[in-house]
Every structure is written in structure tokens, then in C-alpha cells.
Amino acid sequence: MLGFTKRELGKSNNPSTLRRMSPRRSYDQFCSAARALDAVGDRWTLLIVRELLAGPRRYTDLHADLPGVSTDMLASRLKDMERDGLTTRRRLPPPGAVHVYELTSRGRELLPVLRALGEWGRTELGERRPTDALRAHWFALPLLRALEEAGIGTGVVEVRLEEGDFHLWLGAVEGPLYGCGPAPVEPDARLALDSVTCTAVSRGELGLVDAVRDGRVEVGGDGSAAKALRGA
Amino acid sequence: MLGFTKRELGKSNNPSTLRRMSPRRSYDQFCSAARALDAVGDRWTLLIVRELLAGPRRYTDLHADLPGVSTDMLASRLKDMERDGLTTRRRLPPPGAVHVYELTSRGRELLPVLRALGEWGRTELGERRPTDALRAHWFALPLLRALEEAGIGTGVVEVRLEEGDFHLWLGAVEGPLYGCGPAPVEPDARLALDSVTCTAVSRGELGLVDAVRDGRVEVGGDGSAAKALRGA
């Protein structure tokens, strides 16, 4: 587990755990935005929330999908987030029996913050740089928005990119908002597109309906979402 | 100017300026939320945006309303923000002739991010701690929301607290969203309340209309906003 032992992750008073948990830093300002930043303003925290919006994740999977984070930093942030009521850690029942991290309802309420950041960041996205990592599910929130703009607010949509598959739970008020890999249920629509098209849609330069009409997005499935995208 | 010279603030290539401007750190992730955090994720940046939503501010005023920030940190962040297109710096015409910092339209577009953070942070606000600083205008965004929830979406509202006065430009699509001190024009409504009431309204525990009805907010003025608050 990348130099990271179960004992260190557990609730214990041993000095190495305490060292890893940073003292909570505060702006000491009686302002609700400053208070929010006390909880989520540290580097990596909101990107960990992004990953956990995809449902419960194992430490190793989180680490793999947060390229650039050190194991110490990730462990420290997860401790802080648990202390602050944003996440919980639990052991899956057998035969899984691994520990997973998941958002509390309070943590999930950070979705509007991530969406606002993502929408502001659309014009910052630019082209992919040689140094940029990419995971297919990082397109989940932009595509969710594009689907909403196309009038599709509910249903399960599976998305296939060269970089991987993910699925979206549109209109989900609790539980995961998206997940990695194919949809675990029959999806209402299946979309196949390349990352150039996906980037243009994410940047808001290309509407999803237009992209379908231009043949840049292939739509499969018979659900209402698929029909709406094909027929609109 | 707090150990801070005009030459250091100016556009120059002298080593002390370059030392102050931190190299842009990036998550190197092709994700719009991560890109946004590349620009605004550093400590203090979003709180500087909060201050600049009140219109152009001098360095000394910014420093005074960001208790806890060091002059070096503030100068460094302002440089970064200018480099990233969030702010500009200009000299006011005589007789003012001082330098002010202001948001670009791109910087102002961060308002939804600050609002989302502030709304999430409402339940984090709690009671004022002995170590908490407070400025009256930190209640501006929560009150703006409370006024919108009371059905008041346009007009100028002046707010008087023991801690100071500020005013709100409701429905402003450009320019300042609020400002410190009394309104520079005849306001549509004047509100006087104490910080305990203002905190309850900010936390969403007390509606503004209910607070007026209970006599906890005094409403002056003859504009439609005043009438709506008194009559609702």
C-alpha cells in the first residue's frame, strides 16, 4: 500500500498518526466563506472530494487517480477530512474486506463548490499539455452539465472515451454522482466520443446535441436520454 | 505602506519582485476544476476576491480587511492574480492618485465560487470565537442571498451594524456587488440590525422577512425593497 500501513491509517494515538494529522489551520475570520476555506481550502482537499463523488474508493485507487499527490499528503488530507466530517472510512463486508473512504452527506454538499469551480475553469482548460494527466471520469462534471443543458436531467448515462469508461447518475440527490467503468445497470444512453470532442463540450464550445448531430458523438441505447439526444 | 514600496509593486524585473512572485504551481491535471484551483486554490486568493467584490481597493485597505495575512503574502498573491488575469492595478486620477487593485471581469466571474463556498460554510460559521476577526461587509454575500430569498433582486440596500456600515448593489451584473460604508446614492432600503441577528440570518436560521416582523431588523427608506420587507 505504497509505504503506508493499516495501523497508520487506523484510529490510534501513536505518534506517527498524530504527526500526520496537521493541526487545523483557520483564517480566524467570522465569515462563512472563510470558514468553508478553513475546511476545504487546503491543497488537494477539493480534488479528493471530486474523486469521492464517484462513490466509495480505496486508498490505492484514490492515489492512482490523484497523480502528483504524495502518499503522506493524501493520508494527511484524508485524516483531516474525516476529522472535519467530510468523509468516513469503513471496511467493506467480506469478501471485499478492504477499507474504503466515502463522502458524508456534508461532504457531498460540496458538489456546488466543485461545479462552480469547474464552470469557472472551463476557459482555463485550454489544450492538454504534455505534462497533464488525464482520467476519463474527470469529464464527468462537465458532461453532467452538458447533458442538463441538453434537457436531460435524469437517468443513467454511460460514456466511453479512449481513456476509459465512466457513467453518470443524472439527478441523483444522494449516493454517487458518477462512477468509473461501465454502468452497473442498463444505461438509458451510451455515448462514445473522442477526448477532443469531449474537451470542446467540456469547455462549452460545442453543445452535446450539436455534437451528436455532427456525428462526433455516437449515441446508443433506447432510454429517453438516448432518444432525446438523437431526436433533439 | 507597511514596508512595501511602490517600486516593488510596479512592473519591474528587479529580483525582489521576482522573488515575491511565486512560480505558478499546477496540479497538472486536465480537469477544469483542477485548472480553476491552479488559479485560485492558493491560500488567501479567494478571500482577496471577496474583498475586491467590494470594488477597487488600495493595498493598505486590503491589508486591513484581511487580518492574518502578511504583507509579503498579500503582495505575492496580488502579483499572481494580476499575472493570471484576475485583477488589474491602476492609478486613480488626481486628486486621489493612489494605486488601487480591482477585479477583471474574469475575476468577478468567481462570484459563484465564493457564493457556493459561503453557502456551504453557513453551517460551519457557528458562534464568533474570541480569536475571530469580523468586518461588517463579510455579511454582504449572506445578506444578498437573504434578500434574494425575500424576493428582492434589485436595488441598493444599506446595512448598519455596530461593526460598521456597508451597502449592497442587488442584481448588479458588473461593477461592485457591495461596498464598505454608507451607500453613495439614496438607497432603496436601510437595514439596521445587530450582529447576532445578522449571524442568524447569514446561517439561514432566520428569514429576513421574519426578522423584520419580529422587530429584530429596523427597515428605513421608501424604495420598493423597503416596502417589500415591511409589507411582506
Side-chain angles (χ1 to χ4, degrees):
Chain A
M1 233 180 146
L2 300 156
F4 193 76
T5 71
K6 198 165 68 182
R7 185 159 148 268
E8 285 170 314
L9 271 170
K11 283 179 206 262
S12 83
N13 289 322
N14 79 51
S16 89
T17 306
L18 294 177
R19 203 167 43 240
R20 185 161 283 134
M21 180 151 44
S22 38
R24 178 153 182 181
R25 205 164 42 158
S26 174
Y27 284 106
D28 286 328
Q29 295 188 358
F30 193 65
C31 158
S32 56
R35 283 284 206 271
L37 290 168
D38 285 347
V40 304
D42 279 336
R43 199 163 166 76
W44 292 103
T45 302
L46 283 169
L47 295 185
I48 296 171
V49 173
R50 177 194 67 192
E51 293 305 313
L52 292 178
L53 284 169
R57 310 284 300 272
R58 295 184 305 162
Y59 180 86
T60 43
D61 295 334
L62 278 177
H63 189 264
D65 281 341
L66 289 164
V69 76
S70 71
T71 53
D72 270 5
M73 174 70 86
L74 179 56
S76 166
R77 288 293 180 265
L78 287 168
K79 279 269 173 209
D80 294 345
M81 292 169 76
E82 191 173 340
R83 175 200 61 201
D84 292 344
L86 307 181
T87 57
T88 53
R89 176 172 167 271
R90 67 179 165 91
R91 185 188 279 272
L92 289 183
V98 294
H99 281 105
V100 290
Y101 295 86
E102 62 190 330
L103 292 178
T104 60
S105 60
R106 187 75 186 127
R108 197 184 189 281
E109 284 167 9
L110 286 162
L111 174 61
V113 174
L114 267 171
R115 291 191 76 156
L117 278 169
E119 279 163 37
W120 188 86
R122 299 202 303 177
T123 53
E124 304 283 310
L125 198 54
E127 299 296 325
R128 185 173 173 192
R129 302 182 300 227
T131 48
D132 278 339
L134 173 57
R135 301 289 182 271
H137 67 275
W138 293 348
F139 288 115
L141 291 183
L143 276 193
L144 205 63
R145 180 193 157 116
L147 284 159
E148 286 167 2
E149 283 174 348
I152 299 162
T154 56
V156 180
V157 174
E158 187 175 284
V159 181
R160 172 158 299 176
L161 289 165
E162 291 153 53
E163 287 77 10
D165 299 347
F166 64 95
H167 54 280
L168 301 163
W169 304 90
L170 276 80
V173 291
E174 57 179 29
L177 204 74
Y178 55 89
C180 300
V185 297
E186 180 65 23
D188 296 283
R190 284 190 185 84
L191 310 184
L193 66 172
D194 61 32
S195 62
V196 171
T197 302
C198 202
T199 300
V201 170
S202 297
R203 285 202 300 236
E205 295 162 6
L206 176 64
L208 202 47
V209 169
D210 292 335
V212 173
R213 194 188 299 128
D214 296 351
R216 296 178 64 178
V217 177
E218 206 178 300
V219 180
D222 285 319
S224 56
K227 286 174 187 160
L229 281 171
R230 276 192 299 255
Chain B
M1 232 180 146
L2 300 157
F4 194 75
T5 72
K6 197 164 70 181
R7 184 159 148 269
E8 284 171 314
L9 272 170
K11 282 177 205 265
S12 82
N13 288 321
N14 79 49
S16 91
T17 307
L18 293 177
R19 203 168 40 241
R20 187 161 281 135
M21 179 151 46
S22 38
R24 178 155 182 182
R25 206 164 40 158
S26 173
Y27 284 107
D28 286 327
Q29 296 188 359
F30 193 64
C31 158
S32 55
R35 282 284 204 273
L37 289 168
D38 285 346
V40 303
D42 279 335
R43 198 162 166 78
W44 292 105
T45 302
L46 284 168
L47 296 184
I48 295 171
V49 174
R50 177 194 67 192
E51 292 306 313
L52 293 177
L53 285 169
R57 309 284 301 272
R58 294 185 305 161
Y59 180 87
T60 43
D61 295 333
L62 277 176
H63 190 264
D65 281 342
L66 288 164
V69 76
S70 71
T71 54
D72 270 5
M73 173 70 85
L74 179 56
S76 166
R77 288 291 180 265
L78 286 167
K79 279 270 171 209
D80 294 345
M81 291 168 76
E82 192 173 341
R83 175 199 61 199
D84 292 343
L86 306 183
T87 57
T88 53
R89 176 172 167 271
R90 66 179 166 91
R91 186 188 278 274
L92 288 183
V98 294
H99 281 105
V100 289
Y101 295 84
E102 62 190 330
L103 291 179
T104 59
S105 60
R106 187 75 186 127
R108 197 184 189 280
E109 284 168 9
L110 286 163
L111 174 60
V113 174
L114 268 171
R115 291 191 75 155
L117 278 169
E119 280 163 36
W120 188 84
R122 300 203 301 177
T123 52
E124 303 283 311
L125 198 53
E127 300 297 326
R128 186 173 173 193
R129 303 180 299 224
T131 48
D132 278 338
L134 173 57
R135 301 289 182 272
H137 67 273
W138 293 347
F139 286 116
L141 291 183
L143 276 192
L144 204 64
R145 181 192 156 118
L147 284 158
E148 286 168 1
E149 283 175 348
I152 298 161
T154 57
V156 180
V157 174
E158 189 175 283
V159 181
R160 174 157 297 176
L161 289 165
E162 291 152 53
E163 289 77 8
D165 298 347
F166 64 95
H167 54 279
L168 301 163
W169 305 90
L170 276 79
V173 290
E174 56 181 29
L177 204 75
Y178 55 88
C180 300
V185 298
E186 179 65 22
D188 296 283
R190 284 190 185 83
L191 309 184
L193 66 170
D194 61 32
S195 62
V196 171
T197 302
C198 203
T199 300
V201 170
S202 297
R203 286 202 299 235
E205 295 162 5
L206 176 64
L208 202 47
V209 169
D210 291 335
V212 173
R213 194 188 300 127
D214 296 351
R216 295 179 64 177
V217 178
E218 207 177 299
V219 180
D222 285 320
S224 56
K227 287 175 186 158
L229 281 171
R230 276 193 298 257

